[in-house]
């Protein structure tokens, strides 16, 4: 991958003092608006430029809640904007930010694990845990992308994959320790609310690193634009300087996340806006990005306060930031990527054909593991080996059948998406189809109640996934459905939909909060009738998919070849995409979202030699069902008597294997 295109058609650079003056005036007006919105008891006609009189409840709220919240928004926004600008300058990548490189999710996971497992340590040294998580995530993303991939899509795709994986692990930790889940869930969504000046006093000294960056970083960042050899020729010690800059950026991100939780997109948008507004030199971009970051986060928090008044519930500030940032990521991914970033990504090399001996060994291994999962169990007396009792079997077989059927359905859906879009990174979760189905089901449950879930969930899930699929086709048509663009569009749509989901869940309604286990991909309460219906539906849809094998083969080769062979490409693609949406809908409506499985099972089938459509479809279905079966066994055995939802276990296993594939491909 080559570097991202340096520029498109920027706005005419404004005169520097005038640009800063306009931004500062906008910041002042927005600050007054924010202060008035923060006063919960002030109606619209009472807004004022003066603070409330001393000795009143309004004065107490103003001094201990409203002002600290305003200050926190300014500090965190400036820190995220500055760190995003430094990262984009270092990598020469307009899409680099703490979120897209995985740093934010790594910091969140590190701090969440510490807060749950060692609360005392998190209270005093949580920022070090966040810094460690951020360092690990970014280091892994850079390792996967390699030196040449840091300036293009590879590092962004690796960061997005890490976001999904680390988010699944953090969710598993929260669900296992569910007594803390709601508070940490709101904090993880980004909450700027304050009750005193404690966190402001804690945060601002640690952000002084930003002043050092603005003072010392411009020269190294300017030299880095000349390339490594050019920078070294001018006396720059490349690796020590880059390491110091990375540590400073991740430090700003980590302490901000420790103080207010996970807030994304600010570090992505602000440097791009700074360049569009005329910032050209490194120092100008760093300083103006910090100012724009404060302005954007303050504006997002003002939107949050308006939503809080409207819903009369707590809405996370990070959710409002994502409502602004996700469309911006869509725009940036379509507008500012170089042509080199839109090349197809090759599948990892594997066997040329699936021979009978390898297939026999695979079937034997899968059957052995499945039998061990049935016979080997963990109970009150410890590990036991034997057939489960009649009562236990009556409770267990529906969830096992549902897990296998769900794995088969998602694997086939992922395989068809990869061939239809000619994109080896396509899967229902990465492209946002699962997020659309999930949001639609949650919205339907909130409107009609959890008692109607069995009736409305399949229809809602199908409608949600179909809507996302339509948006993907609209956004991807301009770039001919290239792999990188489709993945970024899907991730952006998923982020936007998950933000709406967070807003719904944090309203605290009983029906919505009862869905937390289902959102992790749960087989806890699957009944026999539901498991049978899911299995029959998956078998029918997979059978229909097999009937379309010729169309799927021709479409995956190319539209020109398909048309020359007499295939109506438009109708065939529409029919196959409807099949994909139906498979996602029936699985998600019962089990909830499961990440990575639809991506990994077709990859594994291709690695084993299933290169043609029919063998790959059947082998991917077999591997998907086997992976879900193993995940169900691990979920109910690892932390007995606690259970981890099967979807979370499958997401973690498949995510780790996906990272292994990326690293192996990088090493090769």
């Amino acid at each position: 991958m080559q570097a991202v295109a340096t520029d498109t058609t920027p706005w005419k650079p404004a005169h520097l003092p005038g640009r800063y003056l306009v931004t500062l005036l906008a910041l002042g007006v927005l600050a007054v608006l924010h202060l008035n919105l923060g006063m919960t008891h002030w109606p619209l006609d009472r807004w004022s430029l003066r603070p409330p009189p001393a000795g009143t409840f309004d004065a107490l709220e103003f001094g201990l809640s409203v002002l600290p919240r305003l200050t926190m928004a300014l500090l965190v926004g400036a820190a995220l904007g500055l760190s995003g600008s430094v990262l984009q300058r270092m990598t020469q990548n307009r899409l680099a930010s703490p979120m897209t490189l995985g740093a934010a999710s790594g910091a969140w996971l590190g701090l969440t694990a510490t807060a749950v497992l060692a609360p005392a340590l998190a209270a005093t040294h949580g920022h070090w845990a966040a810094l460690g998580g951020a360092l690990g995530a970014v280091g892994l993303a850079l390792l996967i992308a390699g030196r040449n991939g840091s300036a293009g899509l590879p590092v962004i795709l690796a960061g997005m994959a890490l976001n999904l994986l680390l988010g699944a692990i953090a969710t598993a930790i929260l669900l296992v320790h569910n007594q803390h889940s709601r508070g940490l869930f709101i904090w993880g969504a980004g909450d700027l609310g304050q009750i005193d000046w404690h966190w402001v006093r804690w945060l601002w000294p640690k952000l002084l690193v930003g002043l050092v960056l603005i003072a010392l970083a411009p020269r190294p960042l300017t030299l880095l634009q000349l390339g490594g050899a050019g920078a070294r020729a001018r006396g720059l010690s490349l690796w020590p300087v880059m390491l110091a800059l990375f540590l400073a950026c991740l430090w700003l991100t980590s302490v901000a996340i420790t103080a207010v939780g996970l807030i994304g997109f600010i570090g992505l948008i602000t440097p791009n806006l700074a360049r569009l507004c005329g910032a050209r030199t490194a120092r100008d971009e760093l300083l103006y990005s910090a100012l724009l970051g404060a302005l954007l986060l303050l504006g997002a928090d003002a939107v949050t306060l308006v939503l809080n008044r409207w819903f009369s519930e707590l809405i996370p500030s990070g959710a409002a930031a994502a409502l602004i940032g996700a469309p911006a990521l869509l725009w940036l991914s379509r507008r500012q990527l170089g042509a080199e970033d839109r090349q197809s990504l090759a599948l990892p090399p594997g066997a040329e054909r699936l021979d009978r001996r390898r297939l026999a060994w695979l079937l034997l291994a899968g059957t052995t593991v499945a039998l061990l999962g049935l016979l080997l169990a963990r109970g009150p007396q410890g590990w036991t080996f034997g057939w489960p009792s009649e009562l236990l079997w009556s409770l267990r077989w529906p969830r096992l059948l549902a897990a296998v059927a769900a794995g088969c359905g998602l694997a086939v859906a992922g395989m068809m998406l990869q061939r239809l879009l000619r994109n080896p990174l396509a899967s229902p979760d990465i492209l946002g189809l699962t997020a659309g189905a999930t949001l639609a089901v949650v919205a339907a449950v909130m409107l009609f109640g959890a008692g109607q879930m069995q009736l409305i969930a399949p229809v809602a899930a199908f409608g949600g996934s179909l809507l996302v699929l339509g948006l993907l086709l609209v956004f991807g048509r301009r770039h001919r459905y290239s792999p990188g663009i489709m993945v970024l569009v899907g991730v952006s749509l998923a982020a936007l939909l998950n933000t709406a989901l967070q807003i719904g869940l944090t309203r605290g309604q009983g029906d919505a909060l009862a869905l937390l286990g289902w959102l992790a991909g749960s087989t806890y309460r699957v009944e026999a009738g539901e498991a049978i219906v899911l299995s029959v539906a998956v078998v029918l849809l997979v059978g229909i998919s097999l009937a379309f094998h010729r169309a799927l083969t021709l479409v995956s080769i190319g539209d020109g070849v398909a048309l020359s062979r007499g295939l109506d490409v438009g109708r065939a693609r529409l029919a196959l995409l409807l099949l994909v949406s139906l498979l996602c809908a029936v699985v998600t409506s019962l089990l909830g979202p499961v990440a990575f499985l639809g991506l990994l099972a077709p990859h594994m089938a291709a690695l084993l030699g299933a290169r043609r459509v029919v063998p790959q479809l059947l082998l991917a279905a077999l591997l998907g069902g086997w992976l879900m079966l193993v995940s169900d066994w691990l979920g109910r055995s690892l932390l007995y008597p606690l259970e981890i939802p099967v979807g979370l276990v499958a997401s973690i296993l498949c995510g780790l294997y996906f990272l292994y594939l990326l690293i192996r491909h990088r090493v090769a």
Side-chain angles (χ1 to χ4, degrees), residues 7-50:
D7 219 332
T8 52
T9 55
W11 298 346
K12 184 179 180 180
H15 186 54
L16 191 143
R19 169 163 40 93
Y20 277 86
L21 180 60
V22 170
T23 307
L24 288 172
L25 286 175
L27 192 61
V29 172
L30 191 57
V32 174
L33 176 65
H34 186 277
L35 289 174
N36 283 275
L37 285 171
M39 300 298 294
T40 55
H41 298 285
W42 283 15
L44 296 180
D45 56 359
R46 192 180 168 182
W47 286 9
S48 171
L49 296 177
R50 298 179 179 179

Short mmCIF file of all heavy atoms in Angstrom, two decimals, residues 7-50:
data_model
loop_
_atom_site.label_atom_id
_atom_site.label_comp_id
_atom_site.label_asym_id
_atom_site.label_seq_id
_atom_site.Cartn_x
_atom_site.Cartn_y
_atom_site.Cartn_z
N ASP A 7 -3.61 15.68 -0.78
CA ASP A 7 -4.62 16.71 -0.65
C ASP A 7 -5.61 16.58 -1.80
O ASP A 7 -5.35 15.95 -2.81
CB ASP A 7 -3.98 18.10 -0.66
CG ASP A 7 -4.66 19.04 0.33
OD1 ASP A 7 -5.85 18.84 0.59
OD2 ASP A 7 -3.99 19.95 0.82
N THR A 8 -6.75 17.18 -1.63
CA THR A 8 -7.74 17.23 -2.70
C THR A 8 -7.93 18.69 -3.11
O THR A 8 -7.06 19.31 -3.67
CB THR A 8 -9.06 16.59 -2.23
OG1 THR A 8 -9.44 17.21 -1.00
CG2 THR A 8 -8.87 15.11 -2.01
N THR A 9 -9.04 19.29 -2.83
CA THR A 9 -9.29 20.69 -3.14
C THR A 9 -9.63 21.41 -1.86
O THR A 9 -10.79 21.56 -1.51
CB THR A 9 -10.45 20.81 -4.15
OG1 THR A 9 -11.58 20.13 -3.62
CG2 THR A 9 -10.07 20.21 -5.48
N PRO A 10 -8.63 21.82 -1.09
CA PRO A 10 -8.90 22.43 0.20
C PRO A 10 -9.53 23.80 0.04
O PRO A 10 -9.46 24.44 -0.99
CB PRO A 10 -7.50 22.54 0.82
CG PRO A 10 -6.58 22.62 -0.34
CD PRO A 10 -7.19 21.78 -1.41
N TRP A 11 -10.14 24.24 1.12
CA TRP A 11 -10.66 25.58 1.16
C TRP A 11 -9.51 26.57 1.04
O TRP A 11 -8.37 26.29 1.37
CB TRP A 11 -11.41 25.83 2.47
CG TRP A 11 -12.57 24.94 2.66
CD1 TRP A 11 -13.17 24.16 1.71
CD2 TRP A 11 -13.28 24.72 3.87
NE1 TRP A 11 -14.20 23.48 2.25
CE2 TRP A 11 -14.30 23.79 3.59
CE3 TRP A 11 -13.16 25.21 5.16
CZ2 TRP A 11 -15.18 23.36 4.54
CZ3 TRP A 11 -14.05 24.78 6.12
CH2 TRP A 11 -15.05 23.86 5.81
N LYS A 12 -9.82 27.76 0.58
CA LYS A 12 -8.80 28.79 0.48
C LYS A 12 -8.30 29.15 1.87
O LYS A 12 -9.11 29.46 2.76
CB LYS A 12 -9.38 30.03 -0.20
CG LYS A 12 -8.34 31.12 -0.44
CD LYS A 12 -8.96 32.30 -1.14
CE LYS A 12 -7.94 33.39 -1.37
NZ LYS A 12 -8.52 34.57 -2.06
N PRO A 13 -6.99 29.07 2.13
CA PRO A 13 -6.49 29.31 3.47
C PRO A 13 -6.89 30.68 3.97
O PRO A 13 -6.70 31.70 3.33
CB PRO A 13 -4.96 29.20 3.31
CG PRO A 13 -4.77 28.38 2.08
CD PRO A 13 -5.90 28.74 1.19
N ALA A 14 -7.47 30.69 5.17
CA ALA A 14 -7.84 31.95 5.79
C ALA A 14 -6.61 32.59 6.40
O ALA A 14 -5.63 31.93 6.72
CB ALA A 14 -8.90 31.70 6.86
N HIS A 15 -6.66 33.93 6.55
CA HIS A 15 -5.57 34.63 7.23
C HIS A 15 -5.49 34.08 8.65
O HIS A 15 -6.49 34.00 9.35
CB HIS A 15 -5.87 36.13 7.23
CG HIS A 15 -4.74 36.95 7.78
ND1 HIS A 15 -3.46 36.86 7.29
CD2 HIS A 15 -4.72 37.87 8.78
CE1 HIS A 15 -2.69 37.70 7.96
NE2 HIS A 15 -3.43 38.32 8.88
N LEU A 16 -4.27 33.74 9.09
CA LEU A 16 -4.12 32.98 10.33
C LEU A 16 -4.76 33.67 11.54
O LEU A 16 -5.53 33.04 12.26
CB LEU A 16 -2.64 32.68 10.56
CG LEU A 16 -2.33 31.67 11.68
CD1 LEU A 16 -1.16 30.80 11.28
CD2 LEU A 16 -2.00 32.40 12.99
N PRO A 17 -4.47 34.96 11.82
CA PRO A 17 -5.14 35.58 12.98
C PRO A 17 -6.65 35.60 12.85
O PRO A 17 -7.38 35.38 13.81
CB PRO A 17 -4.54 36.99 13.01
CG PRO A 17 -3.25 36.89 12.27
CD PRO A 17 -3.50 35.88 11.20
N GLY A 18 -7.15 35.83 11.62
CA GLY A 18 -8.59 35.84 11.43
C GLY A 18 -9.21 34.48 11.67
O GLY A 18 -10.29 34.38 12.27
N ARG A 19 -8.54 33.42 11.20
CA ARG A 19 -9.06 32.07 11.41
C ARG A 19 -9.14 31.73 12.89
O ARG A 19 -10.14 31.18 13.38
CB ARG A 19 -8.18 31.07 10.67
CG ARG A 19 -8.44 29.62 11.01
CD ARG A 19 -7.87 28.68 9.98
NE ARG A 19 -6.57 29.04 9.47
CZ ARG A 19 -5.42 28.59 9.99
NH1 ARG A 19 -5.42 27.83 11.06
NH2 ARG A 19 -4.26 28.93 9.42
N TYR A 20 -8.09 32.05 13.63
CA TYR A 20 -8.10 31.78 15.06
C TYR A 20 -9.13 32.64 15.78
O TYR A 20 -9.79 32.18 16.73
CB TYR A 20 -6.70 32.03 15.65
CG TYR A 20 -5.77 30.86 15.48
CD1 TYR A 20 -5.01 30.71 14.32
CD2 TYR A 20 -5.65 29.89 16.46
CE1 TYR A 20 -4.16 29.63 14.15
CE2 TYR A 20 -4.80 28.81 16.30
CZ TYR A 20 -4.05 28.69 15.14
OH TYR A 20 -3.22 27.61 14.98
N LEU A 21 -9.29 33.89 15.34
CA LEU A 21 -10.25 34.78 15.99
C LEU A 21 -11.67 34.27 15.81
O LEU A 21 -12.47 34.25 16.76
CB LEU A 21 -10.10 36.19 15.42
CG LEU A 21 -11.04 37.26 16.02
CD1 LEU A 21 -10.80 37.40 17.51
CD2 LEU A 21 -10.85 38.60 15.30
N VAL A 22 -11.99 33.84 14.58
CA VAL A 22 -13.33 33.31 14.33
C VAL A 22 -13.59 32.05 15.17
O VAL A 22 -14.66 31.87 15.75
CB VAL A 22 -13.50 33.00 12.83
CG1 VAL A 22 -14.79 32.23 12.58
CG2 VAL A 22 -13.51 34.29 12.02
N THR A 23 -12.60 31.18 15.25
CA THR A 23 -12.76 29.95 16.03
C THR A 23 -12.93 30.25 17.51
O THR A 23 -13.76 29.63 18.19
CB THR A 23 -11.56 29.03 15.80
OG1 THR A 23 -11.37 28.82 14.41
CG2 THR A 23 -11.78 27.68 16.47
N LEU A 24 -12.16 31.19 18.02
CA LEU A 24 -12.27 31.55 19.44
C LEU A 24 -13.63 32.19 19.73
O LEU A 24 -14.22 31.94 20.79
CB LEU A 24 -11.14 32.50 19.83
CG LEU A 24 -9.75 31.85 19.92
CD1 LEU A 24 -8.68 32.91 20.14
CD2 LEU A 24 -9.71 30.83 21.07
N LEU A 25 -14.12 33.02 18.80
CA LEU A 25 -15.46 33.61 19.00
C LEU A 25 -16.53 32.51 19.01
O LEU A 25 -17.45 32.54 19.84
CB LEU A 25 -15.74 34.63 17.90
CG LEU A 25 -15.00 35.97 18.01
CD1 LEU A 25 -15.29 36.83 16.78
CD2 LEU A 25 -15.42 36.70 19.28
N ALA A 26 -16.42 31.56 18.07
CA ALA A 26 -17.38 30.45 18.06
C ALA A 26 -17.28 29.64 19.34
O ALA A 26 -18.31 29.20 19.89
CB ALA A 26 -17.10 29.55 16.85
N LEU A 27 -16.07 29.44 19.85
CA LEU A 27 -15.89 28.71 21.09
C LEU A 27 -16.54 29.45 22.26
O LEU A 27 -17.16 28.83 23.13
CB LEU A 27 -14.40 28.50 21.35
CG LEU A 27 -14.01 27.52 22.46
CD1 LEU A 27 -14.53 26.12 22.16
CD2 LEU A 27 -12.49 27.48 22.61
N GLY A 28 -16.40 30.79 22.28
CA GLY A 28 -17.03 31.56 23.35
C GLY A 28 -18.54 31.48 23.31
O GLY A 28 -19.20 31.30 24.35
N VAL A 29 -19.12 31.63 22.10
CA VAL A 29 -20.58 31.53 21.98
C VAL A 29 -21.07 30.15 22.39
O VAL A 29 -22.07 30.00 23.11
CB VAL A 29 -21.00 31.86 20.53
CG1 VAL A 29 -22.49 31.58 20.33
CG2 VAL A 29 -20.68 33.31 20.20
N LEU A 30 -20.36 29.11 21.95
CA LEU A 30 -20.75 27.75 22.29
C LEU A 30 -20.60 27.48 23.79
O LEU A 30 -21.40 26.75 24.38
CB LEU A 30 -19.90 26.76 21.49
CG LEU A 30 -20.33 25.30 21.51
CD1 LEU A 30 -21.76 25.14 21.03
CD2 LEU A 30 -19.39 24.46 20.65
N ALA A 31 -19.59 28.08 24.41
CA ALA A 31 -19.41 27.90 25.85
C ALA A 31 -20.59 28.50 26.63
O ALA A 31 -21.08 27.89 27.60
CB ALA A 31 -18.10 28.54 26.30
N VAL A 32 -21.05 29.69 26.22
CA VAL A 32 -22.22 30.29 26.87
C VAL A 32 -23.44 29.40 26.69
O VAL A 32 -24.22 29.16 27.64
CB VAL A 32 -22.47 31.71 26.32
CG1 VAL A 32 -23.77 32.28 26.87
CG2 VAL A 32 -21.30 32.62 26.66
N LEU A 33 -23.64 28.90 25.48
CA LEU A 33 -24.77 27.99 25.22
C LEU A 33 -24.65 26.74 26.08
O LEU A 33 -25.65 26.28 26.67
CB LEU A 33 -24.78 27.63 23.74
CG LEU A 33 -25.83 26.61 23.28
CD1 LEU A 33 -27.23 27.16 23.48
CD2 LEU A 33 -25.61 26.21 21.83
N HIS A 34 -23.45 26.18 26.17
CA HIS A 34 -23.23 24.96 26.95
C HIS A 34 -23.51 25.20 28.43
O HIS A 34 -24.14 24.36 29.10
CB HIS A 34 -21.79 24.50 26.75
CG HIS A 34 -21.47 23.19 27.40
ND1 HIS A 34 -21.12 23.07 28.73
CD2 HIS A 34 -21.44 21.93 26.90
CE1 HIS A 34 -20.89 21.81 29.02
NE2 HIS A 34 -21.08 21.09 27.93
N LEU A 35 -23.09 26.33 28.97
CA LEU A 35 -23.32 26.63 30.38
C LEU A 35 -24.81 26.74 30.68
O LEU A 35 -25.28 26.25 31.71
CB LEU A 35 -22.62 27.93 30.77
CG LEU A 35 -21.08 27.88 30.83
CD1 LEU A 35 -20.51 29.27 31.07
CD2 LEU A 35 -20.63 26.94 31.93
N ASN A 36 -25.55 27.36 29.78
CA ASN A 36 -26.99 27.49 30.01
C ASN A 36 -27.71 26.17 29.85
O ASN A 36 -28.66 25.87 30.60
CB ASN A 36 -27.57 28.54 29.06
CG ASN A 36 -27.26 29.95 29.49
OD1 ASN A 36 -27.98 30.53 30.30
ND2 ASN A 36 -26.18 30.52 28.97
N LEU A 37 -27.29 25.36 28.88
CA LEU A 37 -27.91 24.05 28.72
C LEU A 37 -27.63 23.15 29.91
O LEU A 37 -28.44 22.28 30.26
CB LEU A 37 -27.39 23.37 27.44
CG LEU A 37 -27.93 23.89 26.11
CD1 LEU A 37 -27.15 23.27 24.95
CD2 LEU A 37 -29.42 23.56 25.98
N GLY A 38 -26.48 23.32 30.55
CA GLY A 38 -26.14 22.49 31.69
C GLY A 38 -26.95 22.76 32.93
O GLY A 38 -27.02 21.91 33.82
N MET A 39 -27.57 23.93 33.03
CA MET A 39 -28.42 24.26 34.18
C MET A 39 -29.77 23.57 34.00
O MET A 39 -30.62 24.02 33.24
CB MET A 39 -28.59 25.77 34.30
CG MET A 39 -27.28 26.52 34.50
SD MET A 39 -26.42 26.06 36.02
CE MET A 39 -27.57 26.65 37.25
N THR A 40 -29.94 22.47 34.70
CA THR A 40 -31.11 21.61 34.45
C THR A 40 -32.43 22.27 34.80
O THR A 40 -33.47 21.90 34.25
CB THR A 40 -30.97 20.31 35.26
OG1 THR A 40 -30.78 20.64 36.65
CG2 THR A 40 -29.76 19.51 34.78
N HIS A 41 -32.42 23.24 35.70
CA HIS A 41 -33.68 23.86 36.15
C HIS A 41 -33.95 25.18 35.44
O HIS A 41 -34.93 25.84 35.76
CB HIS A 41 -33.64 24.09 37.66
CG HIS A 41 -33.51 22.82 38.45
ND1 HIS A 41 -34.55 21.94 38.63
CD2 HIS A 41 -32.46 22.27 39.09
CE1 HIS A 41 -34.15 20.91 39.37
NE2 HIS A 41 -32.87 21.09 39.66
N TRP A 42 -33.11 25.55 34.51
CA TRP A 42 -33.34 26.82 33.80
C TRP A 42 -34.16 26.58 32.54
O TRP A 42 -33.74 25.84 31.65
CB TRP A 42 -32.00 27.45 33.41
CG TRP A 42 -31.30 28.12 34.56
CD1 TRP A 42 -31.58 27.97 35.88
CD2 TRP A 42 -30.20 29.03 34.48
NE1 TRP A 42 -30.72 28.71 36.64
CE2 TRP A 42 -29.86 29.39 35.80
CE3 TRP A 42 -29.47 29.59 33.43
CZ2 TRP A 42 -28.84 30.27 36.11
CZ3 TRP A 42 -28.45 30.46 33.72
CH2 TRP A 42 -28.13 30.80 35.03
N PRO A 43 -35.31 27.20 32.40
CA PRO A 43 -36.05 27.13 31.13
C PRO A 43 -35.38 27.99 30.08
O PRO A 43 -34.43 28.73 30.34
CB PRO A 43 -37.44 27.68 31.50
CG PRO A 43 -37.17 28.59 32.68
CD PRO A 43 -36.03 27.97 33.43
N LEU A 44 -35.87 27.87 28.85
CA LEU A 44 -35.24 28.57 27.74
C LEU A 44 -35.25 30.08 27.91
O LEU A 44 -34.31 30.77 27.51
CB LEU A 44 -35.94 28.19 26.42
CG LEU A 44 -35.85 26.72 26.00
CD1 LEU A 44 -36.59 26.50 24.70
CD2 LEU A 44 -34.40 26.29 25.85
N ASP A 45 -36.32 30.63 28.51
CA ASP A 45 -36.42 32.08 28.63
C ASP A 45 -35.60 32.64 29.79
O ASP A 45 -35.59 33.84 30.03
CB ASP A 45 -37.88 32.50 28.79
CG ASP A 45 -38.55 31.82 29.99
OD1 ASP A 45 -37.88 31.03 30.67
OD2 ASP A 45 -39.74 32.08 30.21
N ARG A 46 -34.90 31.77 30.56
CA ARG A 46 -34.12 32.24 31.69
C ARG A 46 -32.63 32.28 31.38
O ARG A 46 -31.82 32.60 32.23
CB ARG A 46 -34.39 31.35 32.91
CG ARG A 46 -33.85 31.93 34.21
CD ARG A 46 -34.12 31.02 35.38
NE ARG A 46 -33.36 31.45 36.55
CZ ARG A 46 -33.37 30.81 37.72
NH1 ARG A 46 -34.11 29.72 37.88
NH2 ARG A 46 -32.65 31.24 38.73
N TRP A 47 -32.23 31.94 30.19
CA TRP A 47 -30.81 31.89 29.87
C TRP A 47 -30.17 33.26 30.05
O TRP A 47 -30.75 34.29 29.72
CB TRP A 47 -30.60 31.40 28.45
CG TRP A 47 -30.85 29.93 28.32
CD1 TRP A 47 -31.38 29.11 29.27
CD2 TRP A 47 -30.58 29.12 27.19
NE1 TRP A 47 -31.46 27.83 28.81
CE2 TRP A 47 -30.97 27.80 27.53
CE3 TRP A 47 -30.06 29.36 25.94
CZ2 TRP A 47 -30.85 26.75 26.65
CZ3 TRP A 47 -29.94 28.33 25.06
CH2 TRP A 47 -30.33 27.02 25.41
N SER A 48 -28.96 33.25 30.58
CA SER A 48 -28.30 34.51 30.94
C SER A 48 -26.80 34.37 30.74
O SER A 48 -26.24 33.28 30.72
CB SER A 48 -28.61 34.86 32.41
OG SER A 48 -27.83 35.95 32.83
N LEU A 49 -26.11 35.53 30.61
CA LEU A 49 -24.67 35.57 30.54
C LEU A 49 -24.03 35.66 31.91
O LEU A 49 -22.81 35.58 32.03
CB LEU A 49 -24.22 36.77 29.68
CG LEU A 49 -24.64 36.74 28.20
CD1 LEU A 49 -24.19 38.02 27.51
CD2 LEU A 49 -24.06 35.53 27.49
N ARG A 50 -24.84 35.83 32.95
CA ARG A 50 -24.31 35.97 34.29
C ARG A 50 -24.48 34.67 35.07
O ARG A 50 -25.46 33.95 34.88
CB ARG A 50 -25.05 37.09 35.03
CG ARG A 50 -24.89 38.46 34.40
CD ARG A 50 -25.67 39.49 35.20
NE ARG A 50 -25.52 40.83 34.62
CZ ARG A 50 -26.12 41.91 35.12
NH1 ARG A 50 -26.91 41.80 36.19
NH2 ARG A 50 -25.93 43.08 34.54
#
